[in-house]
Amino acid sequence: MSIRVLIADDQDIIRAGLATILNAHVDIEVVGEAANGRDAVEMVRSLKPDVCLFDIRMPELDGVSATRELAGPNVANPMAVVVITTFDTDEYVHQALKAGARGFLLKDAGPDLLVQAIRSAAAGDALIAPSVTARLLTHFADSAATTVEEPIEALTDREEEVLLTVARGLTNTEIADELHISLSTTKFHLASLMTKLATRNRVELAMWAHASGRIQD
């Protein structure tokens, strides 16, 4: 079955370009387009796409607010949202991830990374633009708060291995292949890591690995 995607961007030409890129792949279908965040939220609730692709800056309701309504911490069945923007600022990244976004891309990332982000989000993975992830880790390491909380429960050897692969940006499938474990086992370890380290997403796991000294620059 195709991955059903809804696109929200206030620029007609950007929406058209994104739709053309995604519809060129047989496993992806753009089922709706919205020019503002409020319409996007209403369309998502009606069409129930597999993945939402939201711009950060939109009228009536911005991409972060729309993401929070559909995928925030208090949402029972959060949608898979990928945020895309031309504005490469840490503030936007943090806001989007805190709101529940499963991916964060820059509009100059290229078609291949866009498609990969959509597929990753649909599969339950997260993909953050590599340049953004690297900067987040550097910022985190250079900040005053470089100490990390100890795990609620000690990590197992396998969890340590999975943590390092997450910090390298590998998807669930890539982790499973590299560690020779099943996809379900990979997801189990990720869930356990997030619980033990009190993190909400893969970027926070990577930050923890970096700040704890497990990742050496």
Side-chain angles (χ1 to χ4, degrees), residues 42-102:
E42 293 177 0
M43 291 178 69
V44 167
R45 289 172 174 163
S46 173
L47 296 173
K48 295 180 171 52
D50 301 305
V51 180
C52 308
L53 182 62
F54 288 169
D55 185 22
I56 282 280
R57 289 190 175 181
M58 292 188 289
E60 297 192 31
L61 193 68
D62 62 55
V64 171
S65 298
T67 298
R68 188 177 297 110
E69 286 198 23
L70 297 169
N74 298 322
V75 178
N77 297 298
M79 296 294 303
V81 179
V82 174
V83 172
I84 184 168
T85 181
T86 55
F87 303 98
D88 185 10
T89 66
D90 292 336
E91 180 182 2
Y92 282 141
V93 178
H94 287 290
Q95 287 179 351
L97 295 177
K98 188 176 181 180
R102 196 174 288 178

Side-chain angles (χ1 to χ4, degrees), residues 102 117 119-127 171-173 183 187 190 202:
R102 196 174 288 178
R119 288 171 176 161
S120 295
D125 292 341
L127 189 150
T171 66
N172 287 3
T173 300
L183 193 57
K187 293 179 179 179
L190 285 171
R202 301 164 85 93

